[in-house]
Amino acid sequence: MFKKDLIIGLALVIFSAQAILSQGFEENKASVFTLSNGMKVILKEKHANPLISSMIYVNAGSKYETEYNNGVTHLLEHLLFDGTKRRTREQISEEIKSKGSSFFNAFTRKELTCYLVIMPREFIQDGLDIQSDMLFNSIFPDSELAKERNIVIEEIKKDEDNVDYQVEKFFDAQAYPGTPYARPVLGYENIIATIPKEDIIQYYQTYYKPNNMVILLMGDFEMDKMLSLVEKCFGNIPVKPLPPLEKIVYTPPEDKLVKYKEVDTKNCYLNLSFKAPHFSDPDYFAFDLMTRILNSGETSPLYKALTSEKEPLIIDLSANLETQKEFSALNISILTDSPQKIERILIVTDQTLKNLTRKKLDPSTIRNTIVSTKADLYYQEEKLYIYGMTIASTLVNCGYDFLESYIPNLEKVTPEKIQKVSQTYFSEPKYIATAVVPKVEKKESSASSSQSKYLKETLPNGLEVIIRSNPDSRVFALNILGKTRSASEPYSKTGIVNFVNSMLDKGTSKRSSETITQELASIGAQLKLTDDPNVPYDDIYTSRLYSFIRFETLDEYANQGVELLSDLVKNSKFPQDEVEKTRTEILSIIKREGESTSQTCRNLFYSELFKDHPYRKTVLGDENTISSITQTDLIDFHKKFYSPKNMILTVVTSLPPDKVLALIKNNFGDIPSTDFSSPSIPQPKMITSPAEVKKEMKKEQVYIYLGNLLPGIDNPEAPALEVANSILSTRLGLNLREKKGLAYSVGSSVSFDKDLGWFIASIGTRPKNYKEALDGILNEIDQLRNNLASEKELETAKNSLWGNLLFYRLSRINQAYYMGVNEFLGAGYDYDEKHLEKIRAVTKEMVKEAAQKYLDTKNYVLAVVGKKD
């Protein structure tokens, strides 16, 4: 029923024989087959944990659309979750959940659509059966089609409010004119609203064929059994002819051209596109490696050139090699704070690229970049879905042979080859550039910050409400902060806040879970109640200090949205069947995180740093505490924890503050007060000697967490500590990752509560590098303690903190979230504006003094998790 094409070491994730243990080599091989109906199958065994991911790539994206159906691929992606000949939307969702799936999703790009699921190995047959049913038997009920049109339209509106989306759309239109790559993946509102159902079905029937798909399966399975299972689920789908793809003609830049666009933004976004060699060109790999070097953060020659002047020209920079079937392009993205700097940035960029033609790169730079590339992709393999997302475009565009030879070809690149390819492409650099800049304000208009109006009031029941209103966006964002998360949890019920939050959308006295889902969709709302463990960096909002309820809709739906959200907070019923389903999901996440060296090390560090303090508790709890929590426990704790005096409700909107306050009062003002009060947070015991804790895990790397306690957020030295940490984190990345190649992940952080804080430096490395990595961290801390930082380091750190603050306040929901956090910490909802002034006032002497006082290399907590060398 199938033929085996070849067995390959999938090159994007395989180390050379010298770089990995011999017993691990077989695990890194993939087998590639073709079913009799033309479907490509890639099987990759990974036995680290009992999960299997299935990722199915369809050659269907905006590239395959026309001007008249632009967006149909993404709309179709939504529709495939809405019912088949065998299953309703509800049955698909419930079946996936009931089988312990931790991830069930899809994404659309210009050249592909991918459907992915991660399931326990025992249930992977169910997952594949559902995927096959969705891909080949979807029926598109009229009621679901109307709903999905609205959802996609709201997604388009939401993204239009995001400056990054505007930047990307403008750049694509200018860099790839006359090609399908100029079209946005989401399409346009008028097309999504009016495209006939028949056209959607025709597109579906045209491209959703087994001979137009690739399936990648990774995880805990046996090759032969999995291949038989794939044949059973997909092999009986008949092969069908595919239409010829219209020829795409890409015209590379022939001159230096910059196009400007004004939008509502405070920063400036400069994007440049240069001609690059096609992936079939022997020069491709030298060009690719050169791109990676340009994208190497603060070690990048381009980043250095653009930040070496007295006033740095840029805030951030990234470079990537766009690799499509028809062409390649080097795209450089730059963030700066002033339109006046753009001309100088272009001159310096031009000069830097020309310099690559005159001077050979250091061989160590090339070697370290290759090592980092290998390590980066190898680590991604541990997160099954990340790997599949990373290689998606390369797999679809370039094929298996390219993947097989990718790393070996990179390893053949020499300084001479990079210089030669630079001479070919950058002797006289040509580009198309787009510059998205702030709108020029009329003299009579006031600054945007003055357009914001704040209103703060405590309701009679004790609920603290803070509203910020400005006309910048149509988004209505509301965040509810639950105070003193870990401190409020009984030790025997650790994780109950996360359990409660996970249940808030599972049914109320007025609404079923299904009704809640439908109403959220009808107003295009986004509701986030917990960290998503399957999304990278999603846990940045999750804290032992507080919980969150993040809610977004549009201003026009504020009334419906606030009423719905208040019902979830006031009237949650915690149905017993949903309690058990949620318990199973949480236990699955706990078990999965227990397999992670970094997560395990993080929890071990906190337990030792805080000992008997509430912050030693994990956010998720453990198997014992979660297993012990009853429905009654959830109901009782919910009434206490989400009582009015234990919440801070923040809103960012363009609606008048008084009208929003009236809306909040009407929906939240009737929540009864309780005698529950937020517990006080004790001061933890200071670290007066080295404290080391270890846990062995059979992993390929060892993880290190090192740190100690700091003062609270209002301490005068807190800003200097933030700057010191930014400098230290940069040095760790430069010296331990880029120069020594010890790690993919290395850095440091500082966190603050009201009256206490803590510092962490962390690194993941191979066991043989353990001592060098630990000594390296301690040495970098000592260097910061004993020597003044340079002026450049100081300025870069300040700009980095400034840029990060701006970045994490881009969306209204983040603005609402941080307003609540700052108010809870006692710093005030408008803390950010004052804080930046304090950061800019920090001197080199203040950095050194703060480091000497608080970053102690004699008395600290050290947590180590992983394999012994």
Side-chain angles (χ1 to χ4, degrees):
M1 297 296 290
F2 52 82
K3 66 178 186 292
K4 184 170 182 181
D5 292 332
L6 67 166
I7 295 182
I8 62 173
L10 202 55
L12 278 179
V13 291
I14 294 183
F15 282 40
S16 62
Q18 296 82 7
I20 58 173
L21 298 174
S22 59
Q23 65 264 32
F25 186 76
E26 290 301 319
E27 292 182 0
N28 284 297
K29 286 190 175 181
S31 294
V32 182
F33 306 86
T34 300
L35 301 185
S36 58
N37 59 12
M39 187 175 191
K40 290 286 185 180
V41 182
I42 303 174
L43 303 181
K44 188 172 179 63
E45 293 185 48
K46 296 287 292 180
H47 301 287
N49 57 65
L51 288 171
I52 298 174
S53 71
S54 170
M55 305 190 73
I56 301 177
Y57 308 97
V58 187
N59 285 286
S62 55
K63 167 183 176 179
Y64 297 86
E65 298 168 355
T66 69
E67 298 298 329
Y68 305 102
N69 68 357
N70 183 201
V72 66
T73 313
H74 178 248
L75 176 59
L76 182 59
E77 173 216 308
H78 280 244
L79 289 168
L80 257 64
F81 289 83
D82 285 333
T84 71
K85 297 174 183 177
R86 296 165 49 197
R87 297 175 173 92
T88 64
R89 176 178 58 81
E90 294 81 3
Q91 288 171 329
I92 292 172
S93 177
E94 288 303 314
E95 191 171 343
I96 280 288
K97 289 182 181 179
S98 67
K99 300 300 183 182
S101 174
S102 55
F103 196 73
F104 183 51
N105 215 324
F107 60 86
T108 305
R109 294 180 183 169
K110 292 182 182 294
E111 69 281 353
L112 65 91
T113 309
C114 179
Y115 297 86
L116 56 157
V117 64
I118 298 179
M119 303 197 74
R121 62 186 178 192
E122 292 84 356
F123 300 121
I124 189 60
Q125 180 170 347
D126 301 89
L128 294 179
D129 183 63
I130 290 172
Q131 283 189 306
S132 178
D133 196 22
M134 290 169 55
L135 286 166
F136 302 111
N137 299 311
S138 286
I139 57 175
F140 316 119
D142 289 338
S143 60
E144 300 292 345
L145 176 55
K147 176 201 69 176
E148 297 296 352
R149 287 188 200 270
N150 288 333
I151 290 174
V152 172
I153 288 170
E154 294 306 334
E155 186 177 354
I156 292 171
K157 291 177 181 291
K158 177 175 68 69
D159 279 4
E160 287 289 356
D161 284 336
N162 186 329
V163 67
D164 290 330
Y165 179 76
Q166 297 178 55
V167 169
E168 179 184 346
K169 193 166 76 166
F170 181 53
F171 173 74
D172 287 349
Q174 305 305 320
Y176 313 120
T179 77
Y181 297 103
R183 292 194 284 261
V185 170
L186 294 183
Y188 296 92
E189 178 180 349
N190 62 323
I191 295 177
I192 299 302
T194 60
I195 184 170
K197 180 178 179 179
E198 294 74 19
D199 289 2
I200 299 171
I201 293 174
Q202 182 182 4
Y203 184 87
Y204 169 65
Q205 293 173 341
T206 299
Y207 292 103
Y208 278 68
K209 302 171 181 177
N211 45 311
N212 198 38
M213 297 179 182
V214 178
I215 180 170
L216 168 64
L217 282 146
M218 292 180 61
D220 192 15
F221 58 78
E222 296 176 16
M223 189 74 64
D224 292 341
K225 290 182 179 179
M226 180 54 72
L227 188 56
S228 297
L229 183 56
V230 173
E231 172 65 25
K232 177 181 178 182
C233 293
F234 297 94
N236 61 343
I237 310 299
V239 61
K240 294 181 181 179
L242 291 165
L245 181 63
E246 184 177 328
K247 185 177 181 181
I248 296 174
V249 179
Y250 164 74
T251 303
E254 299 175 346
D255 203 346
K256 297 175 182 177
L257 180 63
V258 185
K259 296 191 176 183
Y260 286 81
K261 182 178 182 178
E262 292 185 355
V263 303
D264 289 323
T265 179
K266 295 179 181 178
N267 286 317
C268 303
Y269 301 81
L270 178 65
N271 287 271
L272 301 94
S273 183
F274 302 78
K275 180 183 178 181
H278 189 263
F279 71 82
S280 62
D281 189 325
D283 283 342
Y284 176 90
F285 298 98
F287 197 99
D288 185 3
L289 194 57
M290 178 190 64
T291 302
R292 292 181 179 276
I293 292 169
L294 291 174
N295 193 48
S296 60
E298 296 191 359
T299 63
S300 160
L302 183 55
Y303 183 91
K304 289 179 179 178
L306 291 168
T307 57
S308 62
E309 299 186 8
K310 185 175 181 181
E311 181 182 5
L313 294 171
I314 66 169
I315 298 172
D316 198 11
L317 175 147
S318 66
N320 77 283
L321 185 54
E322 176 88 3
T323 304
Q324 297 293 348
K325 285 184 179 180
E326 302 83 4
F327 68 92
S328 298
L330 167 63
N331 295 335
I332 298 176
S333 299
I334 292 171
L335 177 67
T336 185
D337 59 352
S338 171
Q340 284 70 42
K341 293 181 178 180
I342 289 176
E343 184 175 351
R344 178 61 182 161
I345 290 171
L346 293 171
I347 292 172
V348 173
T349 300
D350 187 273
Q351 292 172 343
T352 304
L353 295 178
K354 285 182 178 178
N355 287 341
L356 293 173
T357 70
R358 306 181 187 112
K359 183 180 178 182
K360 295 178 184 178
L361 290 169
D362 188 335
S364 65
T365 299
I366 295 175
R367 182 179 62 251
N368 290 345
T369 304
I370 294 173
V371 169
S372 293
T373 301
K374 288 182 179 180
D376 192 345
L377 292 161
Y378 191 76
Y379 296 145
Q380 288 176 8
E381 204 175 27
E382 291 188 346
K383 299 178 180 178
L384 303 178
Y385 70 102
I386 290 292
Y387 171 74
M389 293 171 70
T390 300
I391 69 164
S393 295
T394 307
L395 188 64
V396 168
N397 289 327
C398 306
Y400 310 123
D401 292 342
F402 181 88
L403 290 170
E404 178 182 313
S405 60
Y406 180 76
I407 290 296
N409 277 320
L410 276 192
E411 292 177 325
K412 296 175 184 177
V413 175
T414 63
E416 291 78 13
K417 288 182 177 180
I418 289 182
Q419 185 180 27
K420 180 182 176 182
V421 78
S422 300
Q423 290 169 346
T424 301
Y425 289 89
F426 295 140
S427 292
E428 188 54 49
K430 297 175 181 178
Y431 55 76
I432 175 72
T434 59
V436 175
V437 299
K439 286 184 177 179
V440 179
E441 295 181 353
K442 297 179 181 179
K443 293 182 178 180
E444 62 269 22
S445 64
S446 57
S448 61
S449 60
S450 65
Q451 294 177 4
S452 295
K453 298 179 181 178
Y454 290 92
L455 190 155
K456 176 181 176 182
E457 184 170 320
T458 301
L459 305 189
N461 62 1
L463 176 65
E464 189 173 351
V465 180
I466 303 170
I467 301 164
R468 178 187 174 194
S469 176
N470 66 49
D472 290 341
S473 168
R474 294 176 57 200
V475 174
F476 180 92
L478 187 155
N479 184 80
I480 296 175
L481 180 144
K483 302 177 184 177
T484 55
R485 179 188 202 131
S486 293
S488 298
E489 296 182 333
Y491 274 94
S492 62
K493 307 295 179 183
T494 299
I496 193 170
V497 171
N498 184 72
F499 206 148
V500 165
N501 270 39
S502 300
M503 292 290 301
L504 290 180
D505 61 349
K506 301 298 189 292
T508 72
S509 57
K510 296 169 57 179
R511 294 173 168 93
S512 67
S513 175
E514 181 181 350
T515 301
I516 292 168
T517 300
Q518 291 173 344
E519 289 192 27
L520 288 169
S522 71
I523 60 173
Q526 301 263 352
L527 175 65
K528 183 176 176 62
L529 301 166
T530 62
D531 164 35
D532 184 343
N534 299 298
V535 177
Y537 313 115
D538 186 59
D539 62 350
I540 59 173
Y541 309 111
T542 304
S543 171
R544 288 163 163 82
L545 281 64
Y546 46 80
S547 68
F548 61 78
I549 299 173
R550 293 161 59 92
F551 178 82
E552 297 172 273
T553 185
L554 300 182
D555 283 329
E556 61 198 272
Y557 300 124
N559 289 348
Q560 301 99 302
V562 171
E563 188 278 323
L564 172 58
L565 186 62
S566 69
D567 186 36
L568 303 187
V569 175
K570 294 188 294 187
N571 304 314
S572 287
K573 294 291 288 183
F574 301 94
Q576 185 62 50
D577 59 335
E578 295 288 355
V579 170
E580 296 311 318
K581 289 179 184 177
T582 302
R583 189 195 314 277
T584 300
E585 293 168 2
I586 295 173
L587 289 173
S588 174
I589 295 170
I590 291 172
K591 291 175 183 177
R592 186 146 53 100
E593 288 200 352
E595 294 293 327
S596 165
T597 51
S598 60
Q599 287 285 353
T600 302
C601 193
R602 184 180 186 181
N603 290 335
L604 189 64
F605 173 82
Y606 274 96
S607 67
E608 182 63 24
L609 180 70
F610 290 108
K611 290 190 178 293
D612 298 327
H613 193 275
Y615 292 168
R616 78 183 306 270
K617 303 173 189 174
T618 61
V619 168
L620 291 178
D622 58 41
E623 292 186 46
N624 291 330
T625 62
I626 297 303
S627 298
S628 73
I629 294 171
T630 66
Q631 181 189 42
T632 302
D633 291 334
L634 293 169
I635 293 171
D636 291 343
F637 187 83
H638 168 255
K639 290 178 180 177
K640 295 176 182 178
F641 187 75
Y642 283 114
S643 60
K645 292 182 180 179
N646 203 52
M647 292 189 289
I648 300 174
L649 189 154
T650 50
V651 178
V652 181
T653 176
S654 61
L655 299 175
D658 55 341
K659 291 186 178 180
V660 176
L661 181 61
L663 181 61
I664 299 300
K665 286 181 177 179
N666 187 48
N667 287 279
F668 287 88
D670 60 348
I671 303 178
S673 295
T674 69
D675 57 2
F676 179 81
S677 58
S678 304
S680 59
I681 305 298
Q683 281 289 334
K685 295 180 180 178
M686 296 301 296
I687 309 300
T688 56
S689 61
E692 184 174 345
V693 284
K694 293 184 177 181
K695 182 175 180 178
E696 184 173 0
M697 293 180 71
K698 294 181 179 179
K699 296 287 186 178
E700 293 298 323
Q701 64 170 193
V702 60
Y703 228 92
I704 300 169
Y705 266 68
L706 181 149
N708 49 28
L709 294 168
L710 303 176
I713 192 169
D714 280 338
N715 187 282
E717 292 175 295
L721 281 167
E722 289 187 65
V723 177
N725 172 73
S726 181
I727 294 171
L728 175 63
S729 190
T730 297
R731 290 181 180 180
L732 290 172
L734 174 63
N735 295 324
L736 301 191
R737 171 178 165 152
E738 304 299 340
K739 290 185 177 180
K740 296 185 178 181
L742 294 178
Y744 159 62
S745 175
V746 59
S748 62
S749 65
V750 292
S751 303
F752 296 103
D753 195 354
K754 295 179 183 178
D755 302 312
L756 65 105
W758 54 95
F759 156 75
I760 299 173
S762 62
I763 188 171
T765 188
R766 281 180 285 175
K768 69 176 185 179
N769 297 328
Y770 166 73
K771 187 176 187 306
E772 185 179 4
L774 176 58
D775 290 345
I777 290 174
L778 293 171
N779 177 65
E780 293 300 333
I781 296 173
D782 274 334
Q783 290 295 320
L784 193 63
R785 287 164 49 88
N786 298 327
N787 302 287
L788 288 174
S790 68
E791 285 290 348
K792 181 183 176 182
E793 284 182 310
L794 183 69
E795 190 63 25
T796 299
K798 290 179 181 181
N799 284 340
S800 177
L801 291 169
W802 172 46
N804 284 338
L805 189 145
L806 293 177
F807 175 79
Y808 285 111
R809 275 54 167 189
L810 276 174
S811 66
R812 282 192 159 180
I813 188 58
N814 275 12
Q815 295 166 21
Y817 169 84
Y818 285 109
M819 279 167 53
V821 170
N822 291 335
E823 185 70 16
F824 167 69
L825 295 178
Y829 59 83
D830 56 350
Y831 168 75
D832 289 344
E833 298 169 19
K834 300 176 290 185
H835 183 57
L836 280 176
E837 296 176 7
K838 293 178 181 179
I839 290 292
R840 295 213 173 275
V842 172
T843 64
K844 294 183 293 183
E845 291 73 19
M846 292 165 67
V847 168
K848 180 180 178 182
E849 184 179 347
Q852 288 178 333
K853 191 171 181 180
Y854 296 108
L855 306 186
D856 196 338
T857 55
K858 302 296 183 184
N859 305 300
Y860 53 80
V861 167
L862 172 65
V864 183
V865 171
K867 185 189 296 184
K868 292 182 178 178
D869 189 13

